Amino acid sequence: MRIRIRRKRQKIQKLFLFTSTVYLCFLLFAALGSSYLTPHNPTTQNLDQRFLPPLTGGRILGTDDLGRDVWSRIVYGTRSLLIIGTVSVAIALTGGLLMGILSGAVGGIVDSFIMLLMDGILSFPTVLLAITVVSVLGYGLVQVTVALGIVFIPVFARLVRAETKSRLTEGYVESSRALGTPFPLILLRHVLPNMMPDLIAQSTVTFALVVVIEASLSFLGLGTQPPEPSWGLMLKESRNFLYQAPWMAIFPGIALAATVFSFNYLGDYLSEQLNPQR
Amino acid sequence: MKPMKFIFTVVLFSLLVPTLAFARGAKEQQPVRIALSGNPDTLDPQKTAGTLTFQVIKSLYDTLIEPDPKGNLVPALAERWEFRDEGKQILFYLRKGVTFHDGTPLTSKDVASTLRRIQDKNTGSPQAAEYSLIKGIETPDPLTVVLNLSSPSAPLLATLASGWSAILPAHLIEAGHDFGSKPVGTGPFKFKSWIRDNQILLEKNPSYWMPGKPRVQGVEFRIITERSIQVQGLLSGQLDVIDMYDAIDLPLLQKNPQVKVEKVLTSLVMVLAMNTSRPPLTDLRVRQAINFAIHKQEVLDVAYGGGIPVGTFMDASDPFYVDFTSLYPYNPEKAKQLLREAGVGTDQPLEMVLPQNYEPHVRAGQIYQEMLQRVGLSVKIRLVDWSTWISDVYRKANYDLTVIGHTGKLDPDSRLSNYGTDKTYVRWIHPEAASLITRARQTTHVEERKALYSRVLEIMAKEVPFVFVGTSYRYIGTRKSIEGFRIQPKLDAYDFRDVEVR
């Protein structure tokens, strides 16, 4: 009985995993080859074709309040989404690695200072902090990307610091040190590779968070500037037409939810699989 | 079983009928409930510039003269008035038997103290400048007020008919009364209570000077910021009146037989403003091309919930309005040709700055961008928050194109003053227009003013520092049982004096 349940669970897990991976591959494809997926330009307005419901007039997902194709806007929206996600995770990862290793390896007053700074950043609600950074840097795609990168540095920094500290006390590191291996090499050979699984998992989960916050910022009008397509902006624009054209909100909403779910699921799975201790 | 059922039904009905009767009786005693889109900053008429305040205080205070629904000035607290000394003196004869809510009778002293209070620097009225040309106020008898002016001014009458000029009782002014939270006036309703961010309650003033008015027991302003909640409130009968600036929810409201919707013109002029001090917009041909490229009716319908195109800087319902819409009809071919002549193409991108908190303007901006792209202009959109828009665009003119609506006031001067000089955000300089506007301000003769203003409007229509898009509609949704609700569009004030519950 138990085995059966376990098998069933594994089956569902595999199905989820498969779907998530396929969906994310599809996103990547949509971003790289947007024009293959849709014949319509995402910013072209057709004021005589406003509020077309899905599956009418050759529009799979209908049109919005300015007669723009909803499907095209979702497809093209993946570009800014993936760019913002990748770049800001890269910023957060790099920044976090530097801070974390410095903090963990040097210790002492440097450690205290960096961690104080990181805790300071962490104590702000993420969205609020992102809004503050964007207000200082100005509205737009680049600013939002940098803002989100900065906001997530502490998460990585804390993770890296903890890993560095614990690895440095392990037997194999100490013996390597006793053999006279230079310290930087120890970090590169023994410490870094061992924290890779955690970093990959954390990156994936952070990616999902970045996607949500980018959408929130665009919803507030701080992120992607109109008429460029962005899911958050689409949701913002749909808010006034919920009764009249619910599809304007439903489809970008589904796309966003599915993306976040897939990244989170994949992140959890990776952290389970890659971590040998669990 | 049958008789039992019969008796049961009878008992049930006899219980129900009085309840119904009671419910009807209760309904007539209920105040009229209207949605207010935000909390007013104060109820002191002199200390605000906020629309929300004026929407409420029209029911609490009166002015010497007031606009009728068409915008003509008619007697209110003053029965009649006359100009003397070539327009440098105005006499007001007050109505007899008017009392304030606290029972004291209205006299010329109240009028004098009110006007002195708004001129006083300590009051800090944002509108004080409009009253600065009143040099002396005399009160020869309790029902006559004489204003001595430094120069003749036609817009002053309109100023005295606006909400800022609401008459306050002199004895409370002297006592330093807080009109902001405990208003006392001569208006059709008395102030009862104000729960901040929730509701303002007014009750009928039984001794109002208009016989037989008001007809309802009171007014309840419910403060509801979200439009969709206002709409739901009206549909479910929680609200009697709502005031909407766009037509998005119209289909929903029209489906409900308990609700009616009235379409009225606003006093707004929706514009696409051009910074005429920045090339290539310094070139008249480019501004003309932009005018030819915009399909005005389409923008009004899609972005602003419908409206009437105007060809100049005056709203379509104003008595001073002149129709110049035939000058720049929608003609993209003409636009392309003019741009070719001017040698302007996509290599000179224009920046369109949009106030991101006004969704209709953001929507309109995207439509303009597309229409301009079709004639070969490249436009980049930048969203800014409202305070940035005011400081960067409106004050410093740091933009190429922007989208906004200009509200109207009772007198055309308030809309047109400063145009033609470098003090406006379009930086359009035209000495002739500027001097015509100044002359029109100092003329009290109506026909003469009309001639001067129509010349100004013609110059603006031809020189196009803006694309004058049009005057939009607003929609008043009321329950079927409510009759007689009015909005004075130029003052943006709600008038409940004629409201009846059927």
Side-chain angles (χ1 to χ4, degrees):
Chain A
M1 193 61 189
R2 211 180 239 174
I3 291 168
R4 223 202 248 157
I5 290 175
R6 222 171 139 189
R7 270 205 192 136
K8 210 172 182 185
R9 200 188 268 166
Q10 272 179 343
K11 238 183 187 173
I12 293 173
Q13 211 175 25
K14 261 188 187 159
L15 186 73
F16 274 176
L17 191 69
F18 179 73
T19 326
S20 302
T21 319
V22 168
Y23 181 76
L24 292 179
C25 289
F26 177 74
L27 277 192
L28 193 66
F29 176 68
L32 294 174
S34 311
S35 54
Y36 294 108
L37 285 172
T38 163
H40 302 288
N41 185 300
T43 56
T44 303
Q45 300 166 8
N46 297 288
L47 296 184
D48 50 342
Q49 295 181 24
R50 306 167 60 213
F51 301 121
L52 285 185
L55 299 175
T56 51
R59 311 299 185 132
I60 305 172
L61 301 183
T63 57
D64 69 2
D65 58 317
L66 297 178
R68 295 175 297 202
D69 189 55
V70 172
W71 167 243
S72 301
R73 287 181 75 71
I74 291 180
V75 167
Y76 277 88
T78 52
R79 288 186 177 180
S80 58
L81 187 92
L82 291 186
I83 291 173
I84 290 179
T86 316
V87 176
S88 38
V89 168
I91 292 175
L93 186 63
T94 322
L97 261 177
L98 284 175
M99 297 282 183
I101 287 189
L102 201 67
S103 195
V106 178
I109 197 158
V110 177
D111 183 21
S112 313
F113 178 73
I114 290 180
M115 279 305 120
L116 195 71
L117 193 72
M118 294 297 124
D119 286 345
I121 297 181
L122 267 183
S123 63
F124 284 99
T126 327
V127 177
L128 184 70
L129 187 61
I131 289 174
T132 316
V133 177
V134 169
S135 315
V136 173
L137 298 177
Y139 300 175
L141 206 78
V142 181
Q143 287 88 337
V144 167
T145 312
V146 174
L148 290 177
I150 295 172
V151 165
F152 285 105
I153 285 178
V155 179
F156 285 96
R158 297 197 116 213
L159 183 75
V160 171
R161 172 181 174 269
E163 284 285 321
T164 312
K165 283 215 153 163
S166 71
R167 295 295 163 207
L168 284 178
T169 54
E170 304 237 0
Y172 57 87
V173 173
E174 283 187 357
S175 49
S176 179
R177 227 187 229 179
L179 288 173
T181 323
F183 192 60
L185 207 60
I186 290 179
L187 287 177
L188 210 63
R189 277 242 182 98
H190 302 297
V191 180
L192 258 182
N194 271 310
M195 61 171 90
M196 266 342 228
D198 281 323
L199 284 181
I200 289 171
Q202 184 61 47
S203 300
T204 328
V205 174
T206 307
F207 202 104
L209 282 171
V210 167
V211 167
V212 172
I213 296 175
E214 191 276 329
S216 320
L217 290 178
S218 291
F219 185 86
L220 293 173
L222 305 170
T224 314
Q225 300 288 288
E228 290 314 311
S230 144
W231 297 354
L233 206 59
M234 290 176 80
L235 287 172
K236 176 193 172 80
E237 287 165 344
S238 72
R239 201 180 46 145
N240 276 323
F241 308 101
L242 277 181
Y243 294 111
Q244 207 175 346
W247 57 88
M248 278 175 66
I250 291 172
F251 296 116
I254 291 176
L256 191 63
T259 309
V260 173
F261 175 82
S262 303
F263 272 115
N264 271 332
Y265 195 82
L266 212 67
D268 281 354
Y269 178 80
L270 285 176
S271 77
E272 240 170 65
Q273 294 298 308
L274 294 175
N275 202 329
Q277 286 161 358
R278 268 168 230 166
Chain B
M1 241 358 228
K2 255 191 180 167
M4 267 302 277
K5 218 174 196 175
F6 178 73
I7 289 166
F8 183 70
T9 319
V10 167
V11 169
L12 202 75
F13 257 90
S14 55
L15 276 172
L16 209 65
V17 168
T19 329
L20 278 175
F22 179 74
R24 265 211 70 75
K27 203 175 175 188
E28 274 155 25
Q29 293 302 312
Q30 250 183 24
V32 176
R33 298 153 303 174
I34 181 169
L36 202 64
S37 58
N39 198 41
D41 50 353
T42 173
L43 294 179
D44 186 327
Q46 302 186 339
K47 293 187 177 170
T48 185
T51 305
L52 293 165
T53 302
F54 294 116
Q55 288 175 342
V56 175
I57 65 170
K58 172 80 183 155
S59 297
L60 289 166
Y61 304 99
D62 287 305
T63 43
L64 290 173
I65 44 180
E66 64 178 346
D68 70 1
K70 283 182 186 152
N72 302 311
L73 298 178
V74 295
L77 291 182
E79 265 177 336
R80 59 198 173 85
W81 61 94
E82 58 189 55
F83 284 98
R84 282 194 190 157
D85 194 13
E86 289 170 336
K88 286 174 89 171
Q89 199 174 54
I90 317 178
L91 269 75
F92 287 98
Y93 300 100
L94 300 185
R95 197 176 290 276
K96 250 186 221 155
V98 178
T99 54
F100 286 100
H101 295 157
D102 63 355
T104 49
L106 169 83
T107 68
S108 51
K109 265 193 187 151
D110 299 308
V111 178
S113 313
T114 301
L115 293 176
R116 283 188 192 118
R117 182 174 183 256
I118 199 166
Q119 288 180 319
D120 188 351
K121 275 202 186 94
N122 296 327
T123 310
S125 173
Q127 218 59 20
E130 281 190 22
Y131 298 81
S132 62
L133 52 87
I134 304 176
K135 288 298 168 214
I137 307 164
E138 292 166 34
T139 51
D141 68 68
L143 292 177
T144 312
V145 184
V146 183
L147 303 183
N148 293 310
L149 313 181
S150 57
S151 64
S153 163
L156 184 67
L157 273 188
T159 301
L160 292 172
S162 68
W164 286 287
S165 306
I167 303 301
L168 312 171
H171 69 281
L172 289 181
I173 293 177
E174 277 159 34
H177 182 77
D178 175 16
F179 290 97
S181 55
K182 290 187 207 78
V184 177
T186 57
F189 295 92
K190 292 186 202 176
F191 176 75
K192 201 171 169 191
S193 66
W194 178 8
I195 304 170
R196 300 293 191 281
D197 289 319
N198 183 359
Q199 63 158 357
I200 297 170
L201 213 57
L202 313 183
E203 63 183 351
K204 183 179 178 172
N205 174 8
S207 49
Y208 191 56
W209 54 269
M210 280 185 167
K213 293 177 185 179
R215 302 199 166 104
V216 284
Q217 286 307 310
V219 180
E220 184 181 333
F221 292 91
R222 294 252 182 95
I223 295 154
I224 302 169
T225 48
E226 196 64 33
R227 198 208 47 223
S228 57
I229 297 174
Q230 294 188 1
V231 170
Q232 285 307 322
L234 183 69
L235 288 174
S236 65
Q238 311 260 316
L239 289 169
D240 295 314
V241 184
I242 62 172
D243 171 22
M244 295 166 290
Y245 269 101
D246 52 44
I248 294 164
D249 294 308
L250 229 49
L252 198 69
L253 291 168
Q254 278 159 348
K255 259 190 263 166
N256 190 319
Q258 296 296 313
V259 168
K260 58 185 176 185
V261 181
E262 194 193 343
K263 183 165 88 171
V264 291
L265 268 180
T266 59
S267 62
L268 288 160
V269 178
M270 299 298 182
V271 295
L272 167 60
M274 298 180 259
N275 187 346
T276 61
S277 69
R278 281 199 188 177
L281 298 169
T282 43
D283 189 336
L284 177 62
R285 286 171 302 183
V286 179
R287 302 205 299 269
Q288 288 175 326
I290 292 176
N291 267 272
F292 279 123
I294 304 294
H295 193 310
K296 298 172 177 178
Q297 188 67 56
E298 207 161 64
V299 176
L300 285 170
D301 290 345
V302 175
Y304 295 119
I308 299 178
V310 295
T312 187
F313 200 39
M314 193 56 66
D315 57 287
S317 56
D318 197 282
F320 289 90
Y321 174 70
V322 190
D323 190 353
F324 290 108
T325 44
S326 56
L327 282 180
Y328 299 103
Y330 177 60
N331 189 344
E333 288 314 311
K334 190 91 197 258
K336 280 181 205 164
Q337 187 199 325
L338 281 164
L339 288 174
R340 259 198 309 276
E341 281 172 25
V344 175
T346 44
D347 51 320
Q348 278 168 280
L350 297 169
E351 189 186 49
M352 186 190 288
V353 185
L354 300 177
Q356 68 114 347
N357 54 326
Y358 288 101
E359 247 165 272
H361 294 322
V362 175
R363 234 180 298 154
Q366 294 184 54
I367 303 171
Y368 295 137
Q369 182 191 39
E370 172 98 0
M371 286 174 173
L372 294 176
Q373 255 160 13
R374 283 183 192 164
V375 299
L377 277 174
S378 109
V379 176
K380 257 195 84 184
I381 288 179
R382 181 162 63 97
L383 296 183
V384 296
D385 57 57
W386 183 235
S387 57
T388 313
W389 191 90
I390 290 287
S391 67
D392 248 40
V393 176
Y394 199 70
R395 298 235 168 86
K396 289 184 209 143
N398 193 2
Y399 74 102
D400 295 328
L401 301 171
T402 190
V403 180
I404 202 72
H406 283 261
T407 49
K409 300 273 169 58
L410 278 171
D411 195 272
D413 184 64
S414 58
R415 195 194 285 286
L416 290 168
S417 67
N418 286 335
Y419 278 92
T421 70
D422 63 351
K423 283 182 198 151
T424 65
Y425 72 115
V426 287
R427 298 285 191 261
W428 173 67
I429 295 165
H430 198 286
E432 191 197 343
S435 77
L436 284 171
I437 291 168
T438 315
R439 261 174 64 200
R441 182 185 312 137
Q442 289 163 351
T443 312
T444 47
H445 193 268
V446 176
E447 288 309 312
E448 213 173 301
R449 293 190 82 202
K450 247 184 191 156
L452 291 169
Y453 281 129
S454 68
R455 178 78 192 112
V456 172
L457 295 177
E458 188 185 341
I459 295 173
M460 290 188 87
K462 285 183 175 157
E463 289 267 323
V464 283
F466 298 91
V467 177
F468 304 104
V469 179
T471 299
S472 61
Y473 290 118
R474 86 201 282 174
Y475 299 86
I476 306 167
T478 51
R479 298 292 290 179
K480 271 265 156 67
S481 55
I482 301 287
E483 291 283 345
F485 175 74
R486 279 203 313 266
I487 291 180
Q488 174 25 259
K490 299 271 169 166
L491 299 181
D492 214 332
Y494 297 153
D495 191 342
F496 291 94
R497 286 177 294 190
D498 288 320
V499 172
E500 276 181 278
V501 183
R502 287 268 164 84

